[in-house]
Amino acid sequence: MKQWQAVVLPVSLTCLMYAGSLVLKALLLVDWWRERVSRGEELSYEYIQGSLQGFVDSIISVASNVSAWRNYVVAPLTEELVFRACMIPLLLCGGFKPYTAIRLCPIFFSLAHLNHLMEFYSKQNFSLIKTFMVVGLQLGYTVIFGSYASFLYVRTGHLLAPVVAHIFCNFMGLPKLFSRRSGMVSVAFVAGMVGFLWLLFPMTHPDLYNDRSDSCKCWHGYCSWN
């Protein structure tokens, strides 16, 4: 198995879906820098040292946060282990085609997130309509992400691929489709999605991730994607 490809390539591919979000963050950073320049503040050694110390403090704060460990470590590892590493091989061994397994696993993955139903119900002031809207959005998003994570696992044969994509998506949240600040966010989102769809199969080709010596290049033994 090729370890670094299973981390770098899936994260790079996933970043394309968040092109709008990344551009928006860049624009906010530029606005912050312009505001500093307009106030006549210089980039001094003390400022750099303070910024680095603030960054370290934020890392320590996140590392001591139980919710952060759940969202960025425990949930990605356990969910990908159960719904990808355990479930997909069973479906393939049971005679299901790869595309069928990719479509089926996200349904179970999505339904597993219904445990947040009561939490959303209380946060929405016990409104059933608002709760179902929020839950419906979450279920739709988890089905889409689950399909992508299953695709990564089937194509690469490497659990690291969906795990790092899962961590990145949990960190970024929902992709930014537009912003009132600039139309560049929407342009970046569209361009990123075009690039994502164009590179989806080339960047997940099994040859990039596996060193098999037999005639079948696919890790799961299926050379046909019909």
Side-chain angles (χ1 to χ4, degrees):
M1 290 290 185
K2 301 178 180 179
Q3 304 292 335
W4 70 268
Q5 288 95 326
V7 174
V8 175
L9 295 182
V11 170
S12 301
L13 185 63
T14 307
C15 281
L16 293 175
M17 291 192 291
Y18 286 90
S21 302
L22 296 174
V23 167
L24 179 58
K25 292 182 183 296
L27 291 174
L28 292 174
L29 182 61
V30 170
D31 290 345
W32 169 81
W33 179 253
R34 286 176 177 173
E35 184 179 350
R36 282 185 53 82
V37 173
S38 66
R39 294 200 303 262
E41 298 181 9
E42 297 181 355
L43 191 64
S44 61
Y45 172 76
E46 289 77 12
Y47 175 77
I48 295 176
Q49 188 179 27
S51 299
L52 290 175
Q53 184 60 47
F55 177 75
V56 172
D57 291 340
S58 65
I59 294 295
I60 295 175
S61 176
V62 170
S64 60
N65 189 315
V66 175
S67 296
W69 277 95
R70 181 195 66 181
N71 295 332
Y72 306 136
V73 179
V74 177
L77 284 174
T78 56
E79 290 175 358
E80 297 308 318
L81 183 63
V82 172
F83 293 101
R84 252 59 73 177
C86 293
M87 189 173 292
I88 288 180
L90 287 175
L91 291 173
L92 293 176
C93 291
F96 288 92
K97 295 296 182 181
Y99 278 131
T100 304
I102 289 173
R103 289 192 295 264
L104 192 57
C105 275
I107 298 176
F108 298 109
F109 175 67
S110 179
L111 293 176
H113 287 77
L114 286 176
N115 63 304
H116 297 294
L117 181 62
M118 293 306 299
E119 178 185 350
F120 291 141
Y121 184 57
S122 61
K123 286 183 177 180
Q124 299 301 325
N125 296 321
F126 304 99
S127 171
L128 282 175
I129 296 177
K130 292 182 179 179
T131 300
F132 285 131
M133 289 178 63
V134 173
V135 171
L137 176 64
Q138 186 191 41
L139 291 181
Y141 176 72
T142 51
V143 165
I144 294 173
F145 172 77
S147 300
Y148 174 57
S150 298
F151 178 86
L152 285 177
Y153 183 69
V154 171
R155 288 283 287 178
T156 66
H158 213 305
L159 185 61
L160 271 177
V163 166
V164 294
H166 198 150
I167 294 172
F168 183 81
C169 289
N170 280 4
F171 178 76
M172 294 295 294
L174 290 173
K176 295 292 183 182
L177 309 183
F178 63 90
S179 173
R180 295 179 181 178
R181 298 178 62 88
S182 174
M184 289 179 60
V185 174
S186 297
V187 173
F189 172 77
V190 173
M193 287 304 301
V194 171
F196 172 80
L197 295 173
W198 183 47
L199 295 172
L200 182 60
F201 277 87
M203 289 187 69
T204 59
H205 197 284
D207 282 345
L208 297 174
Y209 302 88
N210 301 288
D211 293 317
R212 293 183 63 95
S213 58
D214 55 19
S215 58
C216 183
K217 304 268 177 79
C218 303
W219 69 273
H220 47 70
Y222 288 89
C223 288
S224 173
W225 276 70
N226 297 324

